Amino acid sequence: MGYENVTQSLTKVIEMKKITKKFGDFVANDSVNLDVFKGKVHALLGENGAGKSTLMNILYGLYSPTSGEILINGKKVDITNPNIAIEHGIGMVHQHFMLIKPFTVAQNIILGQEPTSKMSVLNMKKALKDVKEISERYGLYVDPNAKIEDISVGMQQRVEILKALYRGAEILILDEPTAVLTPQEIVELIQIIKNLTKEGKSIILISHKLKEITAAADFCLIIRRGKHIDTVVVSETNEEGLASKMVGREVSFSVAKDDKESGDEIFSIKDLIVKDNRDIIAVDKLNLSVKKGEILGLAGIDGNGQTELLEAITGLRKVESGEIKINGENITNNTPFQVISKKISHIPEDRQKRGLVMDFDISENTILENYYKYPFAKRGVLQYDNIRIYAKELIDKFDVRPKEESKMARTLSGGNQQKVIIAREVTNNPDLLIAAQPTRGLDVGAIEFVHKALIEQRDNDKAVFLISFELDEIMNVSDRIAVIYEGKIVGIVDAKDAEVEKLGLMMAGGGNE
Amino acid sequence: MIETILSNLALIIGTTLMYSTPLIYTSLGGVLSENSGVINIGLEGMMVIGAFAGAAIGYFVGDPWIAFIGAGIAGGLFGLLHAFACVTFGANQVVSGIAVNFLGAGIALFLSRMFFEGATMTKSIALDNKMPRPLNGVFPDGSLLKIIFDNQYATVYLAFFMVLIIWFFMYKTKYGLRLRSVGEHPTAADTLGISVMRIRYFAVIMSGVFAGFGGAAMSLAIVSNFRPTLISGHGFIALAAMIFGKWKPQGALLACLLFGGAQGLAVFLGQFDFEISTQLISMLPYVITIVVLIGFVGKSAAPSADGIPYEKEHKY
Ligand SMILES: Nc1ncnc2c1ncn2[C@@H]1O[C@H](COP(=O)(O)OP(=O)(O)OP(=O)(O)O)[C@@H](O)[C@H]1O
Ligand SMILES: [Mg+2]
């Protein structure tokens, strides 16, 4: 049928025409067109750094475009700030949530459009009633009196959606809404999207997960390096078709991996007990070992002690009892500096908080662990020439974009931030590489790249410990799979014999063999 | 025996109220500024200029309330300056605060020399032109209430009232909610169409106004003129009180009472002939400030975005 024919009879609510956005010399959006139709879901697909968030920030009035125009319901509108976007019925759920942590759910929802009685005095009664009303109307249940810092990420996202609906949004932008959700929460979100379109709302959905796009979207705009590539009807294509359009080449979803004999045990954990922030036992007598030349995957649902386990290994959290050993050496309760010097590298879960110094440039970020060593420093003075040469090498080898070592980490897209971390950690040539959620929020091309990097480590006879909430990833990449539940390893299986159903059951605490 | 203890206690309570008052105003100023995300260590300088303006206007005009409001305006102008540097230009807030402190002290001294024949001290305000004492002579002679309230100036009662107002503003009105949101997560506030700039300007200017009041509460009530050593660190103590009070008006009030109490105690002890030198005793409020800050203050209470300049088109 083709895009033109399918969309002929639909009502256009938004037209973005030839939008160009430059940051300095850098062109983040290059003459991009986007049409959104009433009651339809329009997906945005593109690699990390392709310019998706930028385009949406323009539509929401947070960035002003360098050139191009926006029409809402056929009329040209200058969206110079979010207020104007809100007035025209545009709501946005940002990639990084925009919630005030110490405020309650209701306070977050009404902020900026507060119901008041006389003299600007807040009318919280009315606020609670309004919140309850919309949350029931769209099936988005939340506890309006709970504080944001106390509720789960999935709940926080509902609050974000409610915020937009409270402001009367007819067009809802969802920027990578599923990157931080559990599989169950993703299913719920897709249902919510369907409910919303039934009510006549239009949705713009940004996602790297092709499965979600094919499940939820009607149309899909594909951007590559800021350029408009194509708009397709989702029902007329498939995941492979979308992926190759986005990257510009064929992408393989399952990683090629040769069989390999694993070597001696190099890393082991015995009877480890670690407490969480609330002083409750999070890792409970855990036993685990990783061999040379293998990738051990740790599967499990978020919140079963993975974070605490990682922090204990890397020296960021106190071990109550038990033993952690690498190369036969005890590293229990070592400092992070000591852990690094024992040839353990770590790709952390939260790349912005623990992986990078956001206000350092790429080159400085590449030497965070080795800054004091020759050739990066001589007699305590940093040798920036050498650092830059080193950073350039890594940028080339790991395809970080843009290829400028003086670019601030903050200004990189999520995927490229991750590449910088991986480049640094892998180049340290560790005996054990710990990778926590290494592909969260990455595009398919970048995921392929990360997986290749992990497998290359293994092929070089190094040990890799992969922690992920994505079962597909664990099953694709690992040699052995351990399942964690309530701080304990409840089973270890060979990846070749692993079955999704069985692993799923173990992750939920059942089917312990 | 009991009677002397009680009357001594009443005396200490009375001096505590008196000495807490300038701190209360000033730390309320700190509460406003920092809850909007702008660190204000310039409180000291704003207090100094307020104290000078209060004393000078009080001397020339003769009306304490006009002088008090004038002090607020003077402090507010310095607040405007701080806001200009920190909000419009995204300057380092600590550096700007230090500059405000130097400027406050310098300008106060300069103006004093200009208007008071080269003297660094302003001329004393006539007793009748000082702040009124609303409860003077209300209580019977010799009663404890008389000891506590007889000599308290109107600024004392107003300070407590202001705590209530600021508390109500911050937690019960929409503008208070917005102010706190800007201090916690300015980007989030911005995405909801709240003007981070405007709110921060308002908060920092008001912070100056309150610090100005604090200074005037000193020069128009506790003493009756301005001299360069009058404020000597009270702005910083008020800042510490705000931190100790976990950035909340009610908390700041309690902390100010504690610090004011230390000062009251120092004054009370000063009247006896002790072996300890009075210099050591006068150190009490400062020592307590340091001990409290080292020992009791958690880090988590500060507004998350306190001290971070906000730029639009900063990467979201
Ligand atoms: N404020 C800024 N200053 C400078 N460069 C920026 C800024 N914001 C974005 N960029 C650059 O623009 C490009 C597009 O970024 P954008 O965040 O839109 O990517 P994205 O498609 O959303 O990627 P991701 O999938 O990783 O979220 C990136 O190369 C980024 O480095
Ligand atoms: Mg993005």
Side-chain angles (χ1 to χ4, degrees), chain A residues 60-186:
Chain A
Y60 194 63
L62 287 167
Y63 292 169
S64 48
T66 313
S67 66
E69 61 180 35
I70 300 173
L71 280 72
I72 300 178
N73 296 320
K75 261 193 265 139
K76 185 173 178 309
V77 182
D78 254 339
I79 309 178
T80 47
N81 68 53
N83 265 336
I84 298 175
I86 294 168
E87 266 166 39
H88 286 89
I90 300 174
M92 177 159 179
V93 175
H94 293 263
Q95 188 166 2
H96 304 110
F97 289 164
M98 295 291 171
L99 295 171
I100 318 250
K101 294 247 170 77
F103 282 17
T104 65
V105 168
Q107 285 174 327
N108 266 285
I109 293 174
I110 60 163
L111 184 64
Q113 290 195 4
E114 306 84 351
T116 52
S117 37
K118 268 180 297 198
M119 305 256 305
S120 308
V121 175
L122 286 173
N123 184 346
M124 280 317 281
K125 237 196 221 139
K126 178 157 190 312
L128 291 177
K129 202 178 116 238
D130 291 354
V131 168
K132 204 162 153 233
E133 236 171 62
I134 41 169
S135 82
E136 269 164 15
R137 174 151 163 226
Y138 297 101
L140 286 155
Y141 296 101
V142 290
D143 171 5
N145 288 313
K147 285 210 171 131
I148 297 296
E149 55 201 2
D150 297 332
I151 61 177
S152 71
V153 180
M155 276 296 159
Q156 292 182 9
Q157 184 161 60
R158 288 186 177 191
V159 178
E160 284 282 24
I161 296 175
L162 282 170
K163 251 165 77 178
L165 295 174
Y166 175 81
R167 286 165 177 73
E170 288 300 318
I171 302 137
L172 196 61
I173 305 166
L174 303 173
D175 193 351
E176 289 193 42
T178 59
V180 289
L181 298 189
T182 64
Q184 179 54 36
E185 288 170 332
I186 293 175

Side-chain angles (χ1 to χ4, degrees), chain B residues 5-316:
Chain B
I5 290 181
L6 279 182
S7 69
N8 278 338
L9 207 61
L11 197 68
I12 294 176
I13 293 176
T15 39
T16 298
L17 288 179
M18 184 166 104
Y19 282 111
S20 307
T21 298
L23 298 178
I24 293 172
Y25 287 108
T26 310
S27 68
L28 284 179
V31 165
L32 285 174
S33 171
E34 305 227 351
N35 272 287
S36 81
V38 180
I39 288 179
N40 190 353
I41 68 163
L43 287 175
E44 172 87 6
M46 297 172 185
M47 219 178 154
V48 171
I49 203 71
F52 168 78
I57 298 172
Y59 175 77
F60 288 116
V61 178
D63 183 310
W65 291 111
I66 292 179
F68 192 69
I69 289 167
I73 293 173
L77 287 175
F78 275 65
L80 179 67
L81 194 71
H82 188 50
F84 195 56
C86 298
V87 182
T88 303
F89 289 109
N92 183 305
Q93 300 173 2
V94 172
V95 173
S96 165
I98 292 174
V100 166
N101 285 337
F102 282 124
L103 214 59
I107 290 184
L109 194 63
F110 173 74
L111 291 178
S112 171
R113 286 187 191 279
M114 197 154 111
F115 288 109
F116 294 90
E117 294 127 30
T120 59
M121 228 153 98
T122 66
K123 291 212 173 96
S124 286
I125 304 167
L127 230 46
D128 289 346
N129 290 342
K130 283 181 67 170
M131 274 287 157
R133 290 172 292 177
L135 297 182
N136 188 257
V138 170
F139 298 107
D141 271 354
S143 71
L144 292 178
L145 288 176
K146 185 177 171 86
I147 302 178
I148 299 179
F149 293 112
D150 201 49
N151 275 321
Q152 303 294 3
Y153 297 94
T155 36
V156 175
Y157 310 107
L158 186 64
F160 282 82
F161 184 62
M162 283 297 173
V163 174
L164 204 70
I165 299 264
I166 297 292
W167 173 84
F168 189 82
F169 166 77
M170 278 186 45
Y171 299 102
K172 297 289 163 190
T173 72
K174 68 173 182 186
Y175 295 111
L177 190 74
R178 291 180 185 183
L179 186 139
R180 288 186 291 137
S181 76
V182 165
E184 282 290 338
H185 196 334
T187 320
D190 196 5
T191 60
L192 296 175
I194 294 171
S195 166
V196 178
M197 279 265 242
R198 226 183 287 167
I199 289 203
R200 287 195 168 169
Y201 257 93
F202 166 79
V204 178
I205 291 173
M206 283 315 286
S207 153
V209 169
F210 273 88
F213 286 163
M218 202 81 155
S219 67
L220 280 171
I222 297 178
V223 298
S224 42
N225 67 351
F226 169 82
R227 49 182 179 269
T229 55
L230 182 65
I231 301 304
S232 63
H234 280 76
F236 291 112
I237 295 182
L239 188 73
M242 178 216 59
I243 293 170
F244 187 39
K246 297 209 183 302
W247 284 264
K248 294 191 168 74
Q250 65 273 31
L253 170 67
L254 293 178
C256 287
L257 288 174
L258 175 74
F259 293 145
Q263 226 169 339
L265 201 63
V267 172
F268 176 75
L269 295 177
Q271 63 183 329
F272 301 111
D273 261 345
F274 277 137
E275 296 292 307
I276 320 167
S277 80
T278 52
Q279 274 89 350
L280 281 179
I281 293 176
S282 338
M283 277 168 60
L284 205 60
Y286 304 94
V287 172
I288 289 189
T289 308
I290 289 177
V291 169
V292 156
L293 283 184
I294 292 171
F296 298 93
V297 178
K299 284 181 238 138
S300 57
S304 312
D306 199 9
I308 305 165
Y310 179 67
E311 306 160 40
K312 252 184 183 274
E313 302 223 352
H314 197 257
K315 185 129 186 320
Y316 286 92

Side-chain angles (χ1 to χ4, degrees), chain A residues 258-270:
Chain A
D258 299 327
D259 278 341
K260 185 173 182 322
E261 276 298 307
S262 48
D264 303 334
E265 181 177 301
I266 183 166
F267 176 74
S268 69
I269 297 176
K270 244 196 212 103

